[in-house]
Amino acid sequence: MKIFIITDMEGAAGVVTFLDQAFPDGKYYEKAKKLLTEEVNAGVSGLCEAGAEEILILDGHGAGGITFELLHPVCRLIHGSPLSPLWKDELAGCDAAVFIGQHSMAGTEKGNLNHTQDSRGIDYIKLNGKLIGEIAQFALLAGSYKVPVIALSGDDAACREIEELIPGVTTISVKRGLSRTSAISVSIQEAHRRIQDGMKQALIKHKKNPLQPVVLPGPYVLEKKYFTTDLTERYNDNVNVEFVDSQTVRLKSSDIRDIIYA
């Protein structure tokens, strides 16, 4: 079996602040990368125990969240900044996908480090009038390749978010948010235990009772509101983009792949 892992940093146990940990100039950034990488390795071990033969990882943290030298030897890693959009096609042929280190969408009450795509740039994203976060973004993209999302590790708010989207998904909480910049994390050892066992059980469960890919019928309207007007300027020459106002753009398509990460 071939498994696609999408990672992010803000959902890892022990990572609770943007300035010191999640941003690349933070004084604990390299330590935060190590925390995430070790959680990824725990998840990979569990997936391999359940029969995964090939693991492809997307480093989904904008500035990079994986310490390459520490990564589990079975893995291949998609990384770089900016990423080529060709990474999406790597989902083709995968049997399932999982999240590791995931956070909740912008505006989630007590969601530790909650944001959507860009914590310093984007206010919200709506798809067909409904607020969505990075969880739905990726799940819908994977669904367009007929790849089901079967598990997520992260904070408890992210777990609740994906449970509403995908009934029956396996969730692994490694911290509970007290606010956007504070949380109660389990120990490193407990986080690894939970993730390894949870990913293993998720794949075993999926083999017995397969989850279905997330698919939303089109056509699609994606609305993005930015914090400042300069961030919408990249759309100025795009005739397919509607400006709702100086901070908000709207994209339309019959193909979810065209706009979900636009």
Side-chain angles (χ1 to χ4, degrees):
M1 297 190 77
K2 182 178 180 180
I3 308 298
F4 193 104
I5 299 177
I6 181 168
T7 70
D8 211 345
M9 180 182 287
E10 290 91 352
V15 179
V16 292
T17 70
F18 287 110
L19 290 177
D20 287 341
Q21 294 176 293
F23 292 161
D25 54 351
K27 59 183 176 179
Y28 301 126
Y29 182 62
E30 290 301 323
K31 289 184 177 181
K33 288 173 61 177
K34 184 173 183 287
L35 289 173
L36 171 64
T37 305
E38 290 176 344
E39 287 194 3
V40 170
N41 288 345
V44 170
S45 294
L47 291 166
C48 289
E49 288 173 6
E53 298 166 320
E54 187 175 351
I55 305 285
L56 181 61
I57 297 173
L58 172 68
D59 186 341
H61 188 65
I66 297 293
T67 302
F68 183 72
E69 298 89 338
L70 300 178
L71 195 60
H72 193 294
V74 77
C75 301
R76 291 183 299 132
L77 180 67
I78 303 170
H79 54 145
S81 182
L83 280 172
S84 165
L86 294 176
W87 74 262
K88 302 170 188 175
D89 292 335
E90 297 298 324
L91 280 159
C94 290
D95 296 289
V98 305
F99 290 91
I100 295 180
Q102 188 57 46
H103 57 83
S104 59
M105 75 172 77
T108 301
E109 184 178 4
K110 295 183 180 179
N112 183 223
L113 300 179
N114 71 79
H115 66 280
T116 299
Q117 265 193 297
D118 181 356
S119 62
R120 292 184 279 195
I122 295 177
D123 186 359
Y124 68 74
I125 295 178
K126 290 182 180 179
L127 181 64
N128 292 357
K130 182 178 180 180
L131 288 169
I132 65 167
E134 295 171 28
I135 292 170
Q137 273 186 303
F138 178 74
L140 285 163
L141 176 67
S144 75
Y145 289 90
K146 301 181 180 180
V147 178
V149 175
I150 64 170
L152 174 147
S153 74
D155 73 322
D156 57 349
C159 292
R160 291 193 299 270
E161 188 174 319
I162 198 170
E163 286 167 353
E164 292 180 6
L165 179 68
I166 308 173
V169 70
T170 296
T171 54
I172 305 146
S173 176
V174 296
K175 63 181 176 180
R176 175 168 61 87
L178 299 176
S179 69
R180 191 168 186 251
T181 55
S182 62
I184 300 174
S185 296
V186 302
S187 69
I188 291 175
Q189 295 83 357
E190 177 63 10
H192 294 175
R193 186 196 67 77
R194 290 186 184 188
I195 293 170
Q196 182 169 345
D197 184 62
M199 292 296 169
K200 176 181 178 179
Q201 295 306 318
L203 187 52
I204 291 172
K205 183 171 68 173
H206 178 64
K207 286 180 176 180
K208 293 179 179 178
N209 297 293
L211 288 174
Q212 297 304 306
V214 176
V215 177
L216 176 69
Y220 308 101
V221 178
L222 187 82
E223 182 177 297
K224 299 174 75 171
K225 182 174 182 179
Y226 291 84
F227 291 128
T228 57
T229 57
D230 58 305
L231 295 175
T232 62
E233 291 174 359
R234 69 187 183 96
Y235 296 102
N236 284 346
D237 297 325
N238 191 330
V239 296
N240 297 315
V241 175
E242 172 192 352
F243 278 77
V244 179
D245 55 42
S246 61
Q247 293 169 255
T248 312
V249 295
R250 194 172 287 157
L251 302 88
K252 299 179 181 180
S253 179
S254 59
D255 188 342
I256 194 69
R257 298 183 195 176
D258 289 342
I259 62 172
I260 197 63
Y261 280 100

